[in-house]
Amino acid sequence: MSETRYALNGMVCTVDHLASAAGVAMLDRGGNAVDAAIAANAVLAVTAPHMCGLGGDLFALVHDGSPGGTQGAGIAALNASGRAGSGADPGRLRAEGLGRMPHLYDIRSVPVPGCADGWLALHERYARLPLADLLAPAIRLAAEGFPASPLLAPGGEFIGSLPGAGDFAAARRAGDVIRRPGVARALTALGDGGRAAFYQGEFGKGLLELGGGEYTEEDLARPNADWVEPLSVEVFGHRIWTVPPNSQGYLLLLALEILAEFGPPADPADPRWAHLLVESARAAGHDRLDVLHEAAVAPLGTAAARRALVDPERRSSLPDAPAGPGDTTYLCVVDGDGMGVSLIQSNASGFGSLLFEPSTGINLHNRGIGFSLTPGHPAEYGPGRRPPHTLCPALVTRPDGTLRTVLGTMGGDAQPQILLQLVTRLLAHGQTPGEAIGAPRWALGSGTGFDTWRSAPVIEVEEGAPWADGLRERGHAVETVEWGSNFGHAHLIDLLPSGVLAGAADPRALIGAALGR
């Protein structure tokens, strides 16, 4: 079980204690939750390049702390996901014999990164402190060095051998010091000179050169951050919010609607509990590859029809599949005024494409793997298009519209599945954040991947989970895997009726921290 932390005047939960500390420092300086979130994410962009960074994308939900209302007053959703460059040519990929987007070492799977645009949009709308001040802790760590975490260090030798990635060659063991001077320069340029200094500066020029025609100057001049209308459903006496397509967040809401009508068993250790959640997730997501694209309308009105596909006692015959590994980072902040931020930022697969902008050493995501190469598919790779996204931050409000919870997780396709378990434990069973975060998990396929909906099913259950035999009896193929290996890094802050903040960082992250003030 994870430990629940409590605080009165603000809390930050991230995968890295250095990032959480940077966020709390901004709260101490009079900043709000958005200030803290930007500062924390900037540190993670330096210290956790195996999960996120300036070469990736960002989604966020913000509750401004106002009394609000049941229709979402005071809640805003940000889509800062990048678009494919003007040189995107699906026909060329098909002519090369590819049926799917290339996964690694190919610039065509690298949409223009949206992270910096996301920070700028959040800062412009909500922040109190200057952007340069928010980026200062990250700049210091990048320039002076930081100790490699136990999750980063094992890949250092290999990553450090790649073009443009020499910064990581110093990492052999946890605690080895890594310096990223190019990232320090990029962050300084962004803080001092704004968007143009980043996207048209050293980083942007290097990206154009590396792209070899994939991008134009106009592509980099186009902002990638849009304020969009959030999605929500009402279940378990609360309203749960997420971001709309091109995010897959609707899968969480749809699965919750399906599950709520069945009613989960009172004891989460009951194998029927896991079965109902598994089947709700499968019914919500089995057609994801066909229906998710940037202009999609989330099919929340289909919950009743999908519920009819579920047998509450046996596995149903819906398609799903194993998945490959992938990485992201999630962080959340609530300040002393009740403002909450649920922010998720990602490279897609680990270090991303394993391509590095050669001047700054910023590793580039491979979120373009979400595109389709099927001619005419609504998510087909093409100029200016956004790919389908696994990222789905979540936020919970009470019936009067006030903030209850901010939560999210890394986990590729499994993100909605993990959040389904956390929301159910928190709202239906009254578990504390530490109990919910620390509890064993299940996932379709191999947990944190991107191919869950493509072929034959397997339910992976975390070591120590009580459901394996009961799931097999209900017709599921089950595999027990090592604790913490493929089940995401989730974080959660709950605003209790007393006004006290209760939060938990995922112990699976090893160095994660829920810090309060």
Side-chain angles (χ1 to χ4, degrees), residues 195-214:
R195 187 183 194 282
F198 180 75
Y199 284 101
Q200 279 84 46
E202 181 182 6
F203 171 77
K205 292 174 183 177
L207 186 61
L208 286 173
E209 181 179 350
L210 185 65
E214 181 72 6

Side-chain angles (χ1 to χ4, degrees), residues 89-109 368-369 371-375 380-381 454:
D89 184 353
R92 183 173 63 164
L93 288 170
R94 289 191 287 264
E96 294 173 9
L98 296 176
R100 297 172 62 181
M101 293 294 292
H103 194 80
L104 300 174
Y105 307 110
D106 197 310
I107 198 68
R108 294 170 295 187
S109 288
I369 60 177
F371 284 121
S372 173
L373 288 181
T374 302
E380 185 181 9
Y381 172 59
R454 290 188 186 274

Side-chain angles (χ1 to χ4, degrees), residues 90-302:
R92 183 173 63 164
L93 288 170
R94 289 191 287 264
E96 294 173 9
L98 296 176
R100 297 172 62 181
M101 293 294 292
H103 194 80
L104 300 174
Y105 307 110
D106 197 310
I107 198 68
R108 294 170 295 187
S109 288
V110 184
V112 176
C115 173
D117 274 329
W119 292 348
L120 292 167
L122 287 165
H123 186 265
E124 178 182 16
R125 182 162 177 172
Y126 291 107
R128 295 175 182 169
L129 302 177
L131 181 61
D133 291 359
L134 303 182
L135 302 183
I139 292 169
R140 178 181 57 81
L141 288 166
E144 299 177 7
F146 62 92
S149 76
L151 297 178
L152 172 59
E157 184 173 3
F158 165 69
I159 297 299
S161 69
L162 299 176
D167 294 347
F168 300 104
R172 293 291 187 275
R173 300 173 300 277
D176 286 348
V177 176
I178 297 174
R179 294 176 178 85
R180 305 184 69 191
V183 177
R185 293 195 305 272
L187 287 168
T188 300
L190 180 64
D192 292 344
R195 187 183 194 282
F198 180 75
Y199 284 101
Q200 279 84 46
E202 181 182 6
F203 171 77
K205 292 174 183 177
L207 186 61
L208 286 173
E209 181 179 350
L210 185 65
E214 181 72 6
Y215 320 103
T216 65
E217 292 182 0
E218 290 73 21
D219 294 334
L220 300 191
R222 178 184 184 182
N224 291 292
D226 299 302
W227 294 103
V228 294
E229 193 70 25
L231 300 176
S232 70
V233 297
E234 188 172 348
V235 295
F236 303 136
H238 293 75
R239 186 161 287 275
I240 292 79
W241 302 82
T242 190
V243 292
N246 54 320
S247 163
Q248 67 168 351
Y250 77 90
L251 295 181
L252 167 64
L253 305 187
L254 195 51
L256 283 167
E257 285 191 300
I258 295 168
L259 174 68
E261 286 297 315
F262 286 115
D267 184 2
D270 186 338
R272 189 172 183 271
W273 184 90
H275 167 76
L276 285 175
L277 270 68
V278 165
E279 290 297 286
S280 296
R282 293 181 64 227
H286 70 91
D287 59 351
R288 174 191 180 277
L289 292 178
D290 296 326
V291 303
L292 180 58
H293 54 92
E294 63 178 317
V297 176
L300 297 180
T302 65

Side-chain angles (χ1 to χ4, degrees), residues 77-95:
L78 179 67
N79 179 341
S81 62
R83 299 172 175 87
S86 294
D89 184 353
R92 183 173 63 164
L93 288 170
R94 289 191 287 264

